[in-house]
Amino acid sequence: MSETTGRPLGRRTFVLGSAAAAGSAALAGPLATSASAAGFGWSDDGSRYVVDTGAGLVFKVSKTNGDLTSLVYKGTEYQGYGGKNSHVESGLGTSTVTIAQSGSTILVSVTYGTLKHYYAARSGENNVYLWTNKADSSVTATRYIVRVKAGLFLNDEPDSYTYAPTVIESADIFRKSDGQTRAKHYSKLRVMDYDSIGWTTGGVGLWIVRSNHEKASGGPFYRSLLRHQSADGGGLYEILYYGENQTESERFGLQGPYVIAFTDGGAPSSALYPGTLTTPWADSLGISGYVSASGRGRVAGVGITGRDTAYPYTVGLANPAAQYWGSARASDGWFSIAGVLPGTYTLTVFKGELAVHTGSVTVTAGATTTLNTIAIPSSNDPSNASAIWRINNWDGTPGGFKNAELMTYAHPSDVRASSWTGNVVVGSGTETSSFPCYLWKDVNSGIIVYFRLTAAQAAAAHTLRIGVTTAYANGRPQVVVNDSWTSAVPSAPTQPSTRSLTVGSYRGNNHTFTYSVPASAWLTDTSAYNTLQIYVASGSGTTSFLSAGTSVDAIDLLS
């Protein structure tokens, strides 16, 4: 995080083409600001509005439905694959489309029922600025897809959406001949991990710079579609609301700006990044739902105590209307979140992705709400509880468990995955890395954990805790100790009802299951291993990796 601005430093990801060895930093193009670029203006070809930025970019918008039908940069057409245009969702249908110019800005406005969408161009810039105002659920999901012609960019990243020979799940997950899996879902990244997504040849880069997602849902750790490529071409996404593995209700209102940006090869100018992009030139354009910088406030915290400095901390703000987040400074927990719409928010402090503090904060337009030091009580972090043994640490993620990293960009059946079965011995030094990050009723239910107890420990009852980050089909753990004591089947907590574990996401609602194990369940022979078997209980789900399952955060036996 920048200590001068209080905003997260820009993070980005991109697929490099053959000329990338020149280095993206050297290739990054500046954000042009010429107000009188030669050729800037617009025309009407009868069926489309044609906008020329005067800087090498010409784009065309359908007057019928608001689709982006052409995207030409320095003479090359980038738009289109499979005969499809770029558009909101899968295309809006018949819409009212208008155009207006105000000085060095051209604005195309699209109205489709209660949804309003906008394209803006600035003289001398190779950018298309977009806003989408979704007022209600009449449009089912909200996304913008830039559809790019095949053959213009290379793609060898794990999120490739290749039409491989074998479909293995729901017609959207594939297996290649070498056993690796591919799907449009597999991006690796959470929302907070990237500012822009795109491709580069080394000489030309095409990107989407995401918005600040204030009207999106799911928070900073949400994973969604970002891009894909196939034999027909590629797609770059700005997902404004995506229902898969969603933890929150949909928010409505204006999203944006997000930006289609062309560069001379490198990543887009950091001036376009969410949290840094300001658009005073858009203040007077009449965009529905637009709130200028003067109508927003800021939240600043002087510090956070009680942190585990081995982990990053994130501060989130959320209410039914909007969401925001910012990183806490590693040295003292200082944070600053700017550009916040007025209102009262739930403030949540996350250790990794685990909520360890909640509070309330009110934001006022044009003002900074300054918070005194936030003290996280020791009891709020489950890692602080004294344990006889613990497998993994509590941070709201399955990170550290077997296959955890791979599962953000591959299917569980991928050839690169280690075996999902195998027993675990506490004290071996490999208990975390050998414990699978996910458990399924039809795959590895009944995994055994071996551990020893001292005579004093075996003489007492203990609490067993299993933390989960999400579950599929109401999967939840039921445990058996030494084949003699069986827990009740716990109630299923609220979790997303869609696919999760097979589409690259472990993010759901963190929940801790607790089991009171009586002293009579333990072995009195201190040289013998006690056994803990963990089963997945549920009557839902189907088979294999779509049977009931759950993602694990940590397991411990309290002293």
Side-chain angles (χ1 to χ4, degrees):
M1 173 172 285
S2 167
E3 295 188 14
T4 57
T5 66
R7 302 185 179 103
L9 296 175
R11 286 167 292 206
R12 59 194 74 110
T13 184
F14 48 88
V15 178
L16 294 176
S18 59
S24 63
L27 294 170
L31 180 64
T33 58
S34 170
S36 57
F40 174 71
W42 66 273
S43 61
D44 183 342
D45 71 2
S47 61
R48 299 171 298 184
Y49 291 121
V50 182
V51 179
D52 188 336
T53 68
L57 174 61
V58 179
F59 64 93
K60 300 178 182 179
V61 179
S62 167
K63 293 167 60 179
T64 301
N65 58 20
D67 283 3
L68 189 68
T69 64
S70 177
L71 196 61
V72 175
Y73 180 61
K74 294 185 177 179
T76 299
E77 176 67 77
Y78 287 85
Q79 154 58 39
Y81 70 82
K84 298 178 180 179
N85 296 323
S86 299
H87 41 54
V88 175
E89 195 47 25
S90 297
L92 294 177
T94 302
S95 306
T96 300
V97 184
T98 60
I99 191 168
Q101 181 172 346
S102 176
S104 59
T105 302
I106 295 171
L107 182 70
V108 179
S109 303
V110 182
T111 300
Y112 175 76
T114 60
L115 186 144
K116 298 182 184 299
H117 180 71
Y118 304 90
Y119 302 90
R122 295 277 290 164
S123 177
E125 295 185 13
N126 294 319
N127 305 315
V128 183
Y129 298 86
L130 301 95
W131 289 263
T132 304
N133 189 335
K134 182 178 177 182
D136 53 43
S137 60
S138 57
V139 176
T140 54
T142 309
R143 63 184 179 182
Y144 194 90
I145 310 174
V146 179
R147 301 189 186 272
V148 184
K149 292 175 65 175
L152 296 177
F153 298 101
L154 300 178
N155 185 48
D156 54 6
E157 285 292 294
D159 61 342
S160 301
Y161 185 31
T162 56
Y163 293 103
T166 306
V167 178
I168 61 174
E169 186 178 304
S170 298
D172 60 4
I173 301 178
F174 304 89
R175 180 180 293 116
K176 297 173 64 177
S177 59
D178 63 3
Q180 292 191 12
T181 54
R182 294 289 187 263
K184 61 185 179 182
H185 306 284
Y186 298 151
S187 69
K188 287 187 179 181
L189 303 175
R190 307 167 301 176
V191 173
M192 68 179 293
D193 294 332
Y194 73 97
D195 293 313
S196 59
I197 193 79
W199 298 298
T200 178
T201 65
V204 174
L206 172 56
W207 315 83
I208 277 192
V209 181
R210 71 166 174 86
S211 69
N212 67 354
H213 279 220
E214 70 181 359
K215 295 291 186 177
S217 298
F221 313 125
Y222 190 68
R223 298 174 190 269
S224 190
L225 280 68
L226 297 182
R227 62 183 170 202
H228 76 264
Q229 279 190 308
S230 69
D232 296 331
L236 296 177
Y237 294 82
E238 165 72 339
I239 300 292
L240 303 175
Y241 178 76
Y242 192 52
E244 194 151 63
N245 204 34
Q246 183 57 254
T247 59
E248 293 185 299
S249 298
E250 184 174 8
R251 293 181 172 95
F252 299 108
L254 184 68
Q255 296 264 29
Y258 50 104
V259 188
I260 303 171
F262 281 92
T263 71
D264 54 4
S269 166
S270 60
L272 296 177
Y273 287 170
T276 62
L277 177 62
T278 57
T279 52
W281 51 266
D283 289 357
S284 60
L285 294 180
I287 294 172
S288 174
Y290 183 91
V291 179
S292 67
S294 63
R296 298 170 177 270
R298 184 170 74 103
V299 176
V302 299
I304 303 172
T305 61
R307 293 174 297 121
D308 181 341
T309 56
Y311 292 87
Y313 281 70
T314 302
V315 180
L317 306 177
N319 66 19
Q323 62 170 9
Y324 307 90
W325 57 83
S327 298
R329 191 162 58 191
S331 60
D332 56 8
W334 176 91
F335 64 91
S336 177
I337 304 172
V340 180
L341 292 172
T344 298
Y345 295 84
T346 296
L347 181 150
T348 305
V349 177
F350 299 92
K351 169 197 174 187
E353 297 184 16
L354 182 68
V356 292
H357 170 81
T358 58
S360 180
V361 62
T362 298
V363 179
T364 304
T368 296
T369 301
T370 302
L371 303 177
N372 294 325
T373 298
I374 295 173
I376 301 173
S378 177
S379 59
N380 283 16
D381 184 346
S383 296
N384 292 329
S386 178
I388 296 171
W389 53 260
R390 177 171 291 136
I391 304 176
N392 215 3
N393 205 358
W394 296 80
D395 70 348
T397 83
F401 282 133
K402 182 165 62 174
N403 294 326
E405 182 179 1
L406 179 66
M407 288 302 96
T408 63
Y409 61 93
H411 190 270
S413 66
D414 195 288
V415 68
R416 292 168 290 180
S418 299
S419 172
W420 288 104
T421 58
N423 299 322
V424 177
V425 180
V426 173
S428 65
T430 62
E431 54 265 48
T432 297
S433 60
S434 61
F435 194 99
C437 62
Y438 297 163
L439 300 174
W440 290 272
K441 185 174 183 179
D442 201 35
V443 176
N444 56 354
S445 182
I447 190 168
I448 302 176
V449 177
Y450 293 89
F451 59 96
R452 288 191 176 102
L453 297 176
T454 66
Q457 291 166 343
H462 297 288
T463 296
L464 174 74
R465 303 188 299 183
I466 301 178
V468 304
T469 67
T470 194
Y472 176 70
N474 289 324
R476 64 268 200 196
Q478 181 182 27
V479 301
V480 176
V481 177
N482 291 322
D483 293 323
S484 63
W485 182 85
T486 302
S487 73
V489 177
S491 299
T494 300
Q495 296 289 5
S497 60
T498 60
R499 288 182 298 166
S500 54
L501 307 181
T502 60
V503 293
S505 178
Y506 57 78
R507 178 75 274 125
N509 296 309
N510 288 100
H511 181 81
T512 301
F513 294 93
T514 60
Y515 311 83
S516 299
V517 185
S520 59
W522 311 123
L523 300 180
T524 56
D525 182 355
T526 59
S527 65
Y529 280 104
N530 289 268
T531 60
L532 167 68
Q533 288 180 275
I534 305 174
Y535 294 89
V536 178
S538 175
S540 303
T542 56
T543 60
S544 188
F545 297 108
L546 287 179
S547 63
T550 189
S551 170
V552 183
D553 178 8
I555 307 168
D556 57 20
L557 186 67
L558 300 186
S559 58

